[in-house]
Amino acid sequence: QKEVEQDPGPLSVPEGAIVSLNCTYSNSAFQYFMWYRQYSRKGPELLMYTYSSGNKEDGRFTAQVDKSSKYISLFIRDSQPSDSATYLCALPHSGAGSYQLTFGKGTKLSVIP
Amino acid sequence: DSGVTQTPKHLITATGQRVTLRCSPRSGDLSVYWYQQSLDQGLQFLIQYYNGEERAKGNILERFSAQQFPDLHSELNLSSLELGDSALYFCASSVAPRTGGYGYTFGSGTRLTVV
């Protein structure tokens, strides 16, 4: 079983729709949960992160973590064509002086005007 | 512009050849990370350096090697290239190895095509 699973989509929605993106993970030791956004031909950029369980809201974006079921979600309200991108969940783990992110494969989102 | 500079942006080379990818981290960042992104595998962690020292290794092939220089720029060397090495290679940087929820900043990548 991979550490992080993410449905690759693609997902196509009309402008203004609510979008739900999800990941599951296997290692219960993860404490931080991140979402990156990657536009075509660009590097991923950090969208938001949460610590432990619960919700975090940032404008039209809400990140949700359910540690009991090892399930993380990103909701986009009032989606815009500019939200069209690939969204990747990422879980960090660190050791003695090391730090790395494990990424889901990403979900490609298209918001149609 | 993220502040992380990768060169070249595109590279086309033949099987069996060797190439070097270069990365300049964001000003002030001491840690550099290399990732490979392919359609079937997604983003795979290759290696991490901090202030010139190797700190973590991921799924990096023996044909691949990297180093971080005193000026903090990093190079990823790929040798005996195979068709399957065609991918996007990203460099990322952060201030320190352990950044909790802050993640790190990616460059725009180098697209490598092996023919």
Side-chain angles (χ1 to χ4, degrees), chain A residues 3-4 30-34 36 89-103, chain B residues 31-35 43-49 54-60 92 94 96-104 106:
Chain A
E3 277 199 298
V4 183
F30 287 122
Q31 294 290 324
Y32 286 91
F33 305 90
M34 301 175 177
Y36 276 76
C89 58
L91 280 65
H93 39 133
S94 55
S98 70
Y99 178 85
Q100 58 183 279
L101 296 181
T102 297
F103 285 87
Chain B
S31 206
V32 169
Y33 312 80
W34 286 97
Y35 278 78
L43 263 171
Q44 298 286 309
F45 171 71
L46 295 178
I47 198 164
Q48 177 205 349
Y49 280 84
E54 181 185 306
R55 286 296 178 93
K57 250 181 177 177
N59 299 321
I60 187 166
S94 67
R98 299 184 63 168
T99 57
Y102 297 99
Y104 29 73
F106 281 86

Side-chain angles (χ1 to χ4, degrees), chain B residues 19-87:
Chain B
V19 297
T20 298
L21 313 183
R22 183 187 168 102
C23 169
S24 294
R26 205 175 48 164
S27 178
D29 285 356
L30 300 178
S31 206
V32 169
Y33 312 80
W34 286 97
Y35 278 78
Q36 179 193 58
Q37 187 175 41
S38 60
L39 278 174
D40 55 339
Q41 294 294 323
L43 263 171
Q44 298 286 309
F45 171 71
L46 295 178
I47 198 164
Q48 177 205 349
Y49 280 84
Y50 174 70
N51 206 19
E53 287 183 12
E54 181 185 306
R55 286 296 178 93
K57 250 181 177 177
N59 299 321
I60 187 166
L61 299 171
E62 283 194 14
R63 300 183 285 108
F64 296 0
S65 65
Q67 58 184 130
Q68 186 180 27
F69 295 87
D71 68 352
L72 302 177
H73 91 271
S74 179
E75 292 180 357
L76 179 67
N77 300 295
L78 316 175
S79 60
S80 303
L81 284 167
E82 303 174 359
L83 295 177
D85 298 327
S86 296

Side-chain angles (χ1 to χ4, degrees), chain A residues 3-25:
Chain A
E3 277 199 298
V4 183
E5 301 273 6
Q6 184 176 10
D7 186 342
L11 186 60
S12 185
V13 301
E15 183 174 353
I18 296 175
V19 176
S20 172
L21 305 166
N22 310 293
C23 288
T24 58
Y25 63 96

